[in-house]
Amino acid sequence: MWQSSPPGSIYDYIRVASFSIGPDGLIEQWSSRAAGLFGMSSTEAVGRDPVEAFMPAELRSDGHRRVGEILDGKEWTGLVPFRMPGEGGAHGLAEVYVMPSLTGRGERAALCIVVDVRALRRIETDLAASQAIFGQSPFGFVLFGTDFAVVRANQRFATVFGGAAADHRGRTVEDYLPRAEADRLSATLKRVLETGESVTDLQLVGPAPGGTQRRHWSMNLYRVHSGAGRPVGVAGLATDVTRRHIAAREAASARRNLALLNEASARIGNSLDLETTARELLDVAVPGFCDLAAVDLYQGLLTGEEAAPGSWAPAHRESAGGSAELRRVAHASAVADALPTAVAGSGPPGPDDLPPALGSVHRFPFGSACAMALRSGRVEDVPGDEMGFVQSTLAVPMVAHDTVVGLVQFSRTKGSEPFGERDRGLATELAARAAVCIDNARLYRREHERALILQRSLLPPGDPEAAGLDIACRYLPGNTATEVGGDWFDVIELPGHRTALVVGDVMGRGLRAAVAMGELRTAVRTLALLDLEPAEVLSALDEVARGLGSPSGGERSEGLGGSGGAQWPSRAAQKSREADLSEVYLATCVYAVYDPVTRRCTFANAGHLPPAVVEPGRPARLIEVPPGMPLGVGGEPFEEVEVELSENALLTLYTDGLVESRDQPLDEGLAALRAVLTGPQMELEDACDHVLSTLDTQHGEDDIALLMARIQGLPAEAVGDWTLPREPRSVGRARELARGQLLAWDLDDLVDTTELLVSELVTNALRYGEGEIRLRLLRDRTLVCEVWDAGLVQPRRRRARDTDEGGRGLQLVGLLSAAWGSRRTPRGKTVWFELALPDGAPAAELSVEQLLSMY
């Protein structure tokens, strides 16, 4: 049975030829390969002397000798130069194997095997190059046969997978990779062998044989052919890309972390609410960073307690039983079948070993990782639950300004990548950012509460009383997201049953605005007691506001130069400081003084909105008071406007929060206010509520102060008013008039005291004053007596010496009256005293000490 050699055998490459030499030294047989090698057909070669036909002339003599030796029975092997027959024949070098032979007749002959040395040299070169590439390559090189077993592997491949290169011959992919990866590689090898399509960068993952470390390989596969084009296997070039994968994973992790931090910067801290900030943290962390998370804040922080230095968990609040009390304020889960609160190690042991519920107050066990994290301020690893689905948990203390405010726990479930060192750093950064926002919210809430307390304490009590006025007032703070403002109102009793009505608004917000409001309100009350005119009050208040706005608390100073003097702040620093404070201490204010006897009201305005008045049967109108400049600007005088108000008129003072908002311009708001004030007359308290409920006061952008006063006026029978000539007998006349008026008012118990004090004041007016004298008695909630004259010299109380016959009148007035004082008028001065109306009890008598104090 004959079997042909497969195409592409080694003989196809090395060009082997044969011919025979007969006993006569001539070519006897000539093969087809010899014809191809030497370029001569058998008809041309047979019968010729091979030496003469193919060897150069200079070598022929030696050639004949060699042929003779061969025919004598000697074998020979050697290199023989040859040339093609004919002119210009090509020269070559052949390796000749000559073997003596015998013919059928017993004659000596020779069989010659000829190999083209040029083809051998090319094959040797190719083999050497192939071996260099295969053996010296820094990459793992493997050749799979058509049965997908390893035919050959280089040393680099053996270094990775163990043993010598020859040991891998005959192995299959199952010997190197896990089952799933081996099946994938086998399918790829089969596809490459069948289709001839190369595969580049095939990613394979698995441990090296005998190892446990997870490695990554990139493999290029291509089909290998024989010289005749027959597939003989698949070559693979494998590169270990584990480090590249690690670097890529780290780079991706870094990009993810930066993206998370960027998102955290944008999303955490948009609210000043503690619980909202905690939820914002978890919205960023789940699922981008972890699968489960929970936030616990110290109960003391949530209830507004002051923290001990460095921690919200002072030592005396911890015990062997656990940490200080915390409240779970937020939790989140990205796992569909997991409880949101199921964070490993987050809760104390219980009947069902469940973590704390949202909103519950709890303690961490003293020796737990969470309690340790709170005490140390460092991240702690919480072991995962073996039977559950949590793989690992990071307990991260929330630290802001060296103060631990709570704990956040990040957990990853089984199947997720465990936390690494980079993740610990990111968790710490996320918790720190949220902690700073929570601490800021705590500080804001504390400042907000203090400002509210301060603001409420400085507002007048409800239902203030005033002579000739029914008063109702309302104060509405902004919403919880709005800082405390500087709005205020006040009702101040003045001598002569007059009343000062004040509404003001400090520009700016927060505690500083509330403090400024308190200082200005106190200054207004002090100035009002001096009984100054409204414009004078605002002028003095403007100086006070300017002093509050300066860095030194007094006048604005301009930095002093020169050597040896005090070191003052630079002009730039001072101006910067003034710029910071100027907004806070600028304020608007309207100050009105109402006289119930004349029903006249004098207004002065410092940049505030105009008062509104509604008279019976007429539409509401705004009183045109020159607005002036806000308090704190300085340099501009204030003007006064005096308006006579009719009986039962309604006067309204307010701040801009009532009539202005982002959605409502000021003009529209003022028009709406006039419209709501115009209408049927109602009880004053109901009118206040009607204004607030009708106007858009729910925007919460600013505080609202509303002061409404119904004009009543003192009835004519409650006023006694007389003018006396400037003569001594007017003293007696004043006593008679006072007695008669008090008896008419059934105030018999006050007759003697009033007569005595009236006599003293009229006598002083005669002695030290000028012009005619005016005596006025007013009866309302108290009895007020006023003595007017044209003199400008104010009375001054002094202590009389033992030898003085006079000088004790004002001391007597001060002892017997409830209050007394003097004020300037446009045409002189007024000295007054006030007595409480009798309540049926006997009048208190002066003690011996009080009487002796006059001497």
Side-chain angles (χ1 to χ4, degrees):
M1 179 178 179
W2 296 89
Q3 181 176 357
S4 299
S5 297
S9 67
I10 188 63
Y11 298 105
D12 293 332
Y13 294 98
I14 62 176
R15 302 178 67 183
V16 177
S18 62
F19 64 90
S20 63
I21 300 174
D24 55 359
L26 302 178
I27 297 174
E28 189 175 67
Q29 292 181 337
W30 190 256
S31 67
S32 298
R33 284 183 177 269
L37 175 62
F38 295 104
M40 183 182 293
S41 65
S42 60
T43 56
E44 295 174 321
V46 173
R48 296 188 64 177
D49 184 345
V51 176
E52 295 293 333
F54 300 110
M55 296 186 71
E58 63 273 13
L59 298 177
R60 288 174 185 171
S61 59
D62 186 56
H64 286 298
R65 183 176 58 82
R66 294 290 183 182
V67 170
E69 292 176 354
I70 292 169
L71 293 176
D72 287 339
K74 185 178 180 180
E75 286 189 8
W76 181 83
T77 302
L79 295 176
V80 178
F82 70 91
R83 63 178 179 81
M84 299 298 183
E87 293 294 334
H91 291 268
L93 183 65
E95 187 171 10
V96 181
Y97 300 88
V98 182
M99 296 168 283
S101 63
L102 295 175
T103 65
R105 297 187 295 270
E107 297 176 319
R108 296 182 181 275
L111 177 63
C112 299
I113 305 296
V114 181
V115 178
D116 189 348
V117 175
R118 295 174 300 174
L120 286 177
R121 295 293 180 264
R122 286 195 299 270
I123 292 174
E124 290 175 352
T125 301
D126 291 344
L127 288 176
S130 175
Q131 180 60 31
I133 295 173
F134 190 83
Q136 300 174 19
S137 172
F139 307 108
F141 192 91
V142 60
L143 178 63
F144 296 95
T146 54
D147 58 353
F148 308 128
V150 176
V151 175
R152 188 177 181 188
N154 68 351
Q155 188 56 43
R156 178 59 182 169
F157 185 88
T159 301
V160 175
F161 292 100
D167 298 336
H168 293 271
R169 184 169 298 168
R171 293 184 180 179
T172 62
V173 294
E174 286 80 5
D175 297 319
Y176 302 105
L177 296 171
R179 179 63 179 271
E181 293 290 271
D183 291 345
R184 190 161 65 92
L185 178 56
S186 296
T188 305
L189 289 172
K190 183 178 180 181
R191 186 174 69 253
V192 171
L193 185 63
E194 292 176 351
T195 65
E197 296 179 357
S198 300
V199 173
T200 58
D201 198 23
L202 174 65
Q203 297 293 316
L204 300 172
V205 181
T212 58
Q213 183 181 3
R214 183 184 178 93
R215 304 192 68 81
H216 296 259
W217 292 280
S218 172
M219 201 160 193
N220 298 326
L221 300 173
Y222 57 94
R223 189 170 67 182
V224 179
H225 306 84
S226 66
R230 179 178 60 87
V232 295
V234 177
L237 187 65
T239 306
D240 190 338
V241 293
T242 304
R243 291 185 178 180
R244 188 172 70 190
H245 271 264
I246 293 174
R249 186 170 63 248
E250 290 181 350
S253 176
R255 287 193 298 270
R256 182 198 65 185
N257 292 354
L258 289 175
L260 277 174
L261 289 177
N262 183 61
E263 184 180 5
S265 299
R267 297 180 61 182
I268 299 176
N270 293 321
S271 169
L272 289 173
D273 180 73
L274 301 178
E275 290 82 356
T276 301
T277 302
R279 289 193 295 270
E280 290 171 346
L281 168 62
L282 299 194
D283 289 342
V284 172
V286 179
F289 177 67
C290 62
D291 302 314
L292 304 169
V295 176
D296 300 287
L297 298 180
Y298 277 117
Q299 180 70 357
L301 180 146
L302 296 169
T303 56
E305 297 179 17
E306 290 292 339
S311 177
W312 272 96
H316 67 275
R317 297 180 58 185
E318 295 195 19
S319 64
S323 65
E325 289 186 342
L326 298 103
R327 185 193 304 171
R328 178 142 297 180
V329 296
H331 57 213
S333 172
V335 184
D337 57 349
L339 291 174
T341 54
V343 177
S346 62
D352 300 323
D353 198 23
L354 290 177
L358 183 65
S360 64
V361 178
H362 64 95
R363 294 175 182 267
F364 290 116
F366 186 82
S368 66
C370 293
M372 292 174 61
L374 289 171
R375 285 196 300 272
S376 65
R378 295 190 299 269
V379 180
E380 296 288 342
D381 292 309
V382 181
D385 50 343
E386 295 182 359
M387 302 303 294
F389 53 86
V390 174
Q391 177 177 241
S392 63
T393 297
L394 294 178
V396 187
M398 305 178 72
V399 183
H401 309 118
D402 297 329
T403 298
V404 178
V405 299
L407 185 80
V408 58
Q409 298 171 76
F410 302 108
S411 296
R412 289 181 179 173
T413 57
K414 293 181 178 178
S416 298
E417 186 177 353
F419 290 114
E421 193 60 34
R422 189 187 298 272
D423 294 321
R424 292 169 64 92
L426 177 61
T428 302
E429 180 65 22
L430 288 174
R433 294 195 179 198
V436 170
C437 295
I438 287 174
D439 195 50
N440 289 341
R442 175 187 67 84
L443 294 174
Y444 166 77
R445 186 176 65 179
R446 184 181 66 181
E447 178 177 325
H448 189 268
E449 291 174 351
R450 290 178 178 177
L452 284 176
I453 294 172
L454 175 62
Q455 191 178 47
R456 301 297 186 272
S457 67
L458 293 175
L459 293 175
D463 301 327
E465 296 181 354
L469 291 175
D470 288 337
I471 297 177
C473 49
R474 296 287 187 273
Y475 180 82
L476 297 181
N479 57 37
T480 55
T482 306
E483 293 186 80
V484 173
D487 294 15
W488 92 92
F489 65 89
D490 209 347
V491 178
I492 307 171
E493 293 187 50
L494 298 178
H497 286 315
R498 294 169 305 132
T499 303
L501 304 175
V502 188
V503 169
D505 184 1
V506 175
M507 298 181 186
R509 310 199 61 80
L511 183 60
R512 296 169 67 194
V515 170
M517 177 269 285
E519 293 176 316
L520 292 177
R521 178 180 179 271
T522 302
V524 169
R525 280 191 158 266
T526 302
L527 294 170
L529 294 178
L530 296 177
D531 213 353
L532 302 176
E533 296 297 322
E536 294 177 329
V537 170
L538 292 187
S539 295
L541 195 62
D542 178 60
E543 292 296 325
V544 172
R546 293 178 66 193
L548 295 177
S550 67
S552 61
E555 294 185 357
R556 288 179 172 86
S557 56
E558 294 293 340
L560 301 178
S563 59
Q567 297 297 317
W568 290 78
S570 66
R571 184 181 298 269
Q574 182 174 337
K575 288 185 176 180
S576 175
R577 173 65 173 162
E578 291 176 2
D580 291 341
L581 296 175
S582 61
E583 181 182 2
V584 175
Y585 289 111
L586 286 178
T588 63
C589 179
V590 62
Y591 184 89
V593 175
Y594 171 69
D595 188 341
V597 178
T598 62
R599 292 199 312 274
R600 300 185 72 83
C601 192
T602 305
F603 297 92
N605 191 353
H608 202 78
L609 296 176
V613 64
V614 184
E615 298 186 1
R618 301 182 64 180
R621 63 186 176 89
L622 300 178
I623 300 177
E624 296 182 0
V625 183
M629 298 298 292
L631 301 175
V633 174
E636 295 293 332
F638 297 96
E639 300 182 37
E640 294 179 358
V641 172
E642 189 176 65
V643 178
E644 184 174 350
L645 303 174
S646 61
E647 191 75 14
N648 290 323
L650 182 62
L651 178 64
T652 303
L653 305 179
Y654 51 93
T655 56
D656 57 357
L658 181 67
V659 294
E660 186 178 23
S661 68
R662 295 178 183 176
D663 301 325
Q664 178 175 266
L666 180 59
D667 292 343
E668 294 181 7
L670 292 175
L673 175 63
R674 292 196 301 270
V676 74
L677 290 175
T678 301
Q681 184 172 323
M682 59 182 69
E683 293 294 329
L684 195 56
E685 293 292 335
D686 295 338
C688 258
D689 294 335
H690 177 65
V691 169
L692 294 177
S693 61
T694 304
L695 297 180
D696 180 19
T697 60
Q698 305 302 316
H699 51 78
E701 296 174 9
D702 197 1
D703 296 355
I704 297 174
L706 176 64
L707 178 61
M708 303 182 75
R710 179 92 61 194
I711 305 301
Q712 299 295 339
L714 287 181
E717 59 271 17
V719 180
D721 195 348
W722 307 277
T723 301
L724 302 173
R726 188 172 185 78
E727 54 187 30
R729 63 178 182 174
S730 293
V731 176
R733 178 60 179 163
R735 287 197 298 268
E736 293 174 3
L737 294 172
R739 172 183 287 274
Q741 187 65 68
L742 292 181
L743 292 176
W745 287 340
D746 294 328
L747 297 177
D748 302 25
D749 294 343
L750 299 180
V751 170
D752 294 338
T753 302
T754 304
E755 278 189 305
L756 176 60
L757 299 184
V758 165
S759 176
E760 289 292 338
L761 294 186
V762 174
T763 299
N764 282 347
L766 288 172
R767 179 175 298 177
Y768 305 109
E770 298 178 6
E772 62 182 2
I773 299 170
R774 182 182 176 187
L775 172 66
R776 189 168 73 170
L777 295 179
L778 307 175
R779 179 189 177 185
D780 193 67
R781 290 174 294 117
T782 62
L783 176 67
V784 174
C785 177
E786 298 175 329
V787 176
W788 309 45
D789 70 80
L792 298 177
V793 178
Q794 297 292 318
R796 181 173 60 88
R797 183 176 178 179
R798 64 183 179 87
R799 179 176 295 277
R801 291 173 295 186
D802 295 344
T803 57
D804 290 343
E805 295 182 1
R808 298 179 179 86
L810 292 181
Q811 293 189 53
L812 188 62
V813 173
L815 287 173
L816 296 179
S817 65
W820 79 278
S822 68
R823 67 178 183 273
R824 288 182 296 137
T825 65
R827 292 178 295 276
K829 67 177 181 296
T830 300
V831 183
W832 57 272
F833 66 83
E834 183 176 339
L835 296 176
L837 298 182
D839 55 3
E845 297 183 357
L846 294 177
S847 64
V848 176
E849 290 77 9
Q850 289 175 321
L851 291 173
L852 291 177
S853 66
M854 294 187 296
Y855 297 91

